Amino acid sequence: MDSIFPHARKPRLGYNTAQVEEFLEVARRAYDGNPIAGDAPLTSEKIRLTAFAMQKGGYSTSHVDAALERLEDAFAAQERQVASRLHGDEAWLREARTTAQVVSNRLARPESQRFDRMNPVVLGYNVREVDRFADKLTRYFRDGWPISVDDVRTVVFSTQRGGYREAQVDLVLDAVVDVMLAVR
């Protein structure tokens, strides 16, 4: 198979080429509705959570990540079409509104109390940075302020001792992406 992405310059690390190519083959079959025995079901959420091993000279992480974001968008649109046909647009949007309300309630908590905190000797996300981004998300949900799916997907927080629990923050960010893709 020809190289489908640029490679990271040696000795830099990139994504494992065999894993990326295998994943994309499974994704192509799933999207086309032709999975083969052994293919795990694939959804937009699973694409978002996909991770690859690293290797020297592997595929460029930025190029693969951009492709995965486009693939996630395509699967989300397909999932919405299927759900709309089965349950109607209103049911799809009602679910998105419910998720948005849960996220909004979480973000409405007082600053430095929006998420569980790590033990003071363990690293977590920087509380001030997360709260600042949470304020942007609150304005998006409450007032319709512009923020893109890519802004949410690519946000990076530094760490601090006793910071916010990373898994909890990431789960809320994933829910925000789900809502944003649902209302596109």
Side-chain angles (χ1 to χ4, degrees):
M1 176 180 262
D2 291 333
S3 180
I4 53 178
F5 296 105
H7 288 268
R9 292 187 182 172
K10 291 185 179 179
R12 293 186 176 228
L13 294 175
Y15 289 137
N16 180 289
T17 56
Q19 289 177 358
V20 170
E21 290 172 6
E22 180 182 342
F23 177 82
L24 292 177
E25 282 299 316
V26 170
R28 181 177 294 118
R29 290 191 299 265
Y31 189 80
D32 292 341
N34 300 315
I36 61 173
D39 282 355
L42 197 56
T43 64
S44 59
E45 180 182 18
K46 286 185 180 179
I47 293 168
R48 184 178 328 120
L49 301 175
T50 296
F52 303 108
M54 303 298 280
Q55 72 180 58
K56 285 185 180 177
Y59 284 140
S60 161
T61 57
S62 62
H63 287 88
V64 173
D65 288 345
L68 288 178
E69 289 169 5
R70 290 188 303 273
L71 191 60
E72 179 188 358
D73 290 346
F75 270 75
Q78 190 179 59
E79 290 161 9
R80 180 180 180 165
Q81 288 176 343
V82 169
S84 292
R85 271 185 268 146
L86 293 174
H87 309 290
D89 282 336
E90 187 53 40
W92 177 264
L93 292 173
R94 185 172 38 253
E95 184 176 333
R97 280 192 296 271
T98 300
T99 302
Q101 188 60 57
V102 169
V103 169
S104 293
N105 292 346
R106 164 70 64 173
L107 300 178
R109 293 179 179 184
E111 285 187 11
S112 75
Q113 297 176 28
R114 290 180 171 140
F115 299 95
D116 291 342
R117 301 288 287 269
M118 300 300 292
N119 179 304
V121 296
V122 178
L123 291 175
Y125 284 145
N126 182 286
V127 173
R128 196 171 317 152
E129 291 175 10
V130 172
D131 281 343
R132 205 171 314 131
F133 193 73
D135 290 340
K136 289 180 182 181
L137 292 174
T138 298
R139 288 192 298 273
Y140 166 79
F141 284 113
R142 185 187 61 213
D143 304 326
W145 278 48
I147 190 167
S148 73
V149 174
D150 288 338
D151 292 336
V152 179
R153 284 178 175 150
T154 60
V155 68
V156 176
F157 305 112
S158 59
T159 57
Q160 72 176 68
R161 294 193 186 284
Y164 281 141
R165 185 173 304 282
E166 294 176 10
Q168 196 176 43
V169 174
D170 291 344
L171 187 65
V172 168
L173 293 176
D174 284 345
V176 170
V177 170
D178 285 340
V179 169
M180 293 174 101
L181 291 176
V183 299
R184 268 190 170 173

